[in-house]
Amino acid sequence: MSNILAFAGSNSSTSINFKLVKHTVSLIEGHNIQLMDMANFDLPMFSVDHEKEYGYTNSLAEFRDDIHKADGLLLSVNEHNGNPSSFFKNLIDWLSRLEINFLDNTVIFLMSASPGKRGAASSLSVTEKLLPKFGGEIISTFSLPSFRHNFESGKGITDQELAKEHQQALEKWLERL
């Protein structure tokens, strides 16, 4: 039985990426899962001056510790103007200042979702290149395009091909835990 930390790279209370994470978690059996709603995670904008004056928040250190306890990370990133959200980038900036290899020995299932036809593919690509710099290993990826057409609360991914692709990516990741 492995420990999984699951969250979205969005701090929106209506995050479609968090909905995708919750759906994905509902498909996992036999593992300990910690689901984090980042809408409740308060983090100041990173700056060296702020770091020097105030240091690191307890919640940041606790989040880093949660990552260390996890065997696997299940993450879905949103997209703003072709990149991960400033919230997610800020989280990565803070974590990397706290510990550069904060993802060491962590296997990652990286997802993305958007209302558009590309499914936040640009953000997924940027994040896929970014996370290994901090020790994480991306095992599988999945992008859900046209979220409002391909996802229903209570049902999950409604497009059969996309649901199959999602399940295969999930199984590939779970095999590595």
Side-chain angles (χ1 to χ4, degrees), residues 9-20:
S10 169
N11 62 343
S12 169
S13 64
T14 61
S15 171
I16 62 175
N17 282 277
F18 190 56
K19 289 177 183 177
L20 178 59

Side-chain angles (χ1 to χ4, degrees), residues 67-83:
I67 292 171
H68 282 234
K69 291 176 200 166
D71 301 301
L73 192 67
L74 191 156
L75 167 65
S76 188
V77 292
N78 57 333
E79 183 171 287
H80 293 170
N81 300 315
N83 285 293

Side-chain angles (χ1 to χ4, degrees), residues 109 140-142 164-173:
F109 179 18
S140 53
T141 63
F142 173 76
K164 181 180 177 183
E165 183 184 328
H166 176 257
Q167 185 65 39
Q168 289 172 339
L170 175 61
E171 289 172 6
K172 179 181 175 184
W173 174 68

Side-chain angles (χ1 to χ4, degrees), residues 9-81:
S10 169
N11 62 343
S12 169
S13 64
T14 61
S15 171
I16 62 175
N17 282 277
F18 190 56
K19 289 177 183 177
L20 178 59
V21 167
K22 288 192 292 187
H23 166 68
T24 304
V25 163
S26 76
L27 302 174
I28 300 172
E29 296 177 357
H31 296 281
N32 295 320
I33 300 169
Q34 180 181 358
L35 179 63
M36 295 205 47
D37 184 348
M38 300 310 280
N40 301 319
F41 196 80
D42 190 29
L43 194 61
M45 186 58 69
F46 177 77
S47 78
V48 174
D49 295 334
H50 190 283
E51 178 188 30
K52 190 183 295 184
E53 185 171 345
Y54 302 105
Y56 306 105
T57 65
N58 287 338
S59 59
L60 179 70
E62 290 168 2
F63 188 69
R64 186 265 330 262
D65 292 346
D66 289 340
I67 292 171
H68 282 234
K69 291 176 200 166
D71 301 301
L73 192 67
L74 191 156
L75 167 65
S76 188
V77 292
N78 57 333
E79 183 171 287
H80 293 170
N81 300 315

